[in-house]
Amino acid sequence: MINGIVNIYKEKGYTSHDVVAVLRKVVGQKKIGHTGTLDPDATGVLPVCLGRATKVCELLTDHDKTYEALLLLGKTTDTQDISGEVLEERNPGDLTEEEVRSCIESFIGEYDQIPPMYSALKVNGKKLYELAREGKTVERKSRKVQIHGIRILEMNLPHVRMEVDCSKGTYIRTLCHDIGEKLQVGGCMEELERTKVGHFLKEDAVTLDEVRQKMEQGEGAELFTPLDQIFAELPAVTVTDAKAWMSYNGNDLPERFLLEKEAWTDGQEVRVYDSRKNFIGLYQYRAPKKLFHIKKMFLDPEAEKIEK
């Protein structure tokens, strides 16, 4: 079984579930999960987790993301993107570049965003887009999202191409819609590409066809990021052979049971390994008791363990 993360470049026309279905056939295993949906018309970075790496799907979904979007001013649609039914058209011809730039930059920071009806969020057990296709509109609560930065790449009104750094749960379609509403001309998203999820970048991503070719050539292993490298920014520590059994069972580890002798700070997270380089899991230091407490276990049940 493959245990790792592959950085897929999702092409237009595929849903995120389509990508998972294709990969299951290509790699020949069922345990696969993606880390956050992309609309069929959107393209870009979609990290996919395989095997034990599916344990980090939720963690990766929580990461900040970067998008490149093309905003079209003057047109409002029911889906908030260009594929939807046009609800209203207004002439944006009187807008100046300075007005548009100022409006867009005003969204940097925290703002309350109402999720679109055409989304996978559930209300009373039913996805919003299913209700929308039935012609129903339900009240949605606004959610606080964080826009870390917006860089305008090109402005050729009524089009604006921009790069957006944002928190999880941000709908770029809705951001485009909200910008249009604030400018009082309406707006929708014409194109969307996700260029970054955490440390997974567009330039390192591979298409499904490239994965298929590598697997057929017997070179697929090089495409998968090992599970522990998702946490490469955290210090790596090694439990002593005498106490390795404690970590295998997810027990707390007093700091004296580690080979590394550091001045740990309260709340410090670390990657714990045994001397055979088996990745055991993520631990967090608790200063009052001078021990590390398990946060998440990742030990391969088939790993060759050190005997007690």
Side-chain angles (χ1 to χ4, degrees):
M1 177 182 287
I2 296 174
N3 298 297
I5 300 95
V6 59
N7 181 8
I8 293 294
Y9 185 87
K10 191 193 83 66
E11 297 171 285
K12 204 167 186 177
Y14 287 95
T15 66
S16 299
H17 292 295
D18 290 338
V19 171
V20 169
V22 171
L23 278 177
R24 283 186 176 134
K25 293 179 181 178
V26 170
V27 303
Q29 71 181 56
K30 291 183 178 180
K31 198 170 184 181
I32 300 179
H34 65 74
T35 58
T37 58
L38 272 177
D39 293 339
D41 286 341
T43 61
V45 172
L46 180 68
V48 180
C49 302
L50 295 88
R52 291 194 320 282
T54 53
K55 290 184 176 183
V56 301
C57 280
E58 186 176 341
L59 296 175
L60 289 175
T61 302
D62 288 346
H63 282 189
D64 291 342
K65 301 171 177 67
T66 300
Y67 296 87
E68 185 175 311
L70 183 62
L71 162 66
L72 173 62
L73 294 170
K75 185 174 290 188
T76 303
T77 73
D78 60 348
T79 60
Q80 299 182 345
D81 63 19
I82 198 66
S83 68
E85 179 182 343
V86 176
L87 301 177
E88 185 178 9
E89 291 191 74
R90 284 176 273 181
N91 182 10
D94 292 335
L95 290 174
T96 66
E97 290 192 2
E98 289 74 17
E99 288 173 323
V100 174
R101 184 179 299 274
S102 176
C103 176
I104 289 174
E105 291 177 349
S106 73
F107 282 85
I108 297 174
E110 187 178 77
Y111 94 98
D112 293 318
Q113 188 180 75
I114 298 175
M117 276 302 300
Y118 281 87
S119 65
L121 291 179
K122 288 185 178 181
V123 173
N124 297 325
K126 199 158 187 179
K127 292 179 179 177
L128 286 175
Y129 70 76
E130 294 173 340
L131 295 171
R133 288 170 182 169
E134 295 171 5
K136 300 175 181 177
T137 300
V138 297
E139 184 177 353
R140 289 97 66 205
K141 292 182 179 180
S142 65
R143 305 189 304 179
K144 290 191 181 298
V145 298
Q146 189 76 30
I147 306 298
H148 302 302
I150 303 179
R151 291 169 292 282
I152 294 175
L153 305 177
E154 182 182 3
M155 191 179 300
N156 186 16
L157 297 177
H159 288 97
V160 182
R161 187 172 297 278
M162 56 189 181
E163 187 176 61
V164 182
D165 298 322
C166 60
S167 64
K168 71 166 187 174
T170 303
Y171 287 92
I172 304 300
R173 282 182 288 138
T174 303
L175 175 63
C176 291
H177 170 85
D178 291 348
I179 291 170
E181 288 301 297
K182 190 169 183 178
L183 287 168
Q184 299 183 353
V185 298
C188 67
M189 185 183 75
E190 193 163 303
E191 296 175 5
L192 182 68
E193 180 181 51
R194 188 156 67 194
T195 59
K196 182 180 179 183
V197 176
H199 69 266
F200 290 97
L201 308 176
K202 169 188 170 181
E203 49 264 38
D204 301 323
V206 291
T207 65
L208 288 172
D209 281 342
E210 288 172 326
V211 175
R212 185 181 291 108
Q213 291 170 14
K214 286 289 186 181
M215 293 298 292
E216 289 173 352
Q217 294 165 4
E219 300 173 351
E222 66 187 50
L223 299 177
F224 299 93
T225 300
L227 173 56
D228 60 328
Q229 290 308 300
I230 297 301
F231 312 104
E233 74 281 3
L234 301 178
V237 299
T238 308
V239 63
T240 62
D241 287 354
K243 300 298 180 180
W245 64 271
M246 293 181 65
S247 61
Y248 299 154
N249 294 325
N251 293 67
D252 288 343
L253 295 173
E255 60 177 285
R256 67 181 183 276
F257 293 167
L258 300 181
L259 296 180
E260 293 78 13
K261 306 303 177 186
E262 304 284 348
W264 303 107
T265 58
D266 191 45
Q268 170 70 63
E269 294 184 9
V270 298
R271 294 174 284 150
V272 174
Y273 297 80
D274 64 17
S275 62
R276 291 179 176 168
K277 305 301 182 183
N278 290 317
F279 177 43
I280 296 164
L282 297 184
Y283 277 71
Q284 188 173 48
Y285 187 62
R286 295 186 173 177
K289 296 184 177 180
K290 295 185 178 181
L291 57 75
F292 288 87
H293 180 74
I294 187 71
K295 280 199 69 179
K296 201 167 186 68
M297 177 71 77
F298 292 107
L299 181 65
D300 185 347
E302 298 179 2
E304 186 179 350
K305 301 174 184 176
I306 297 168
E307 296 298 326
K308 183 176 177 181

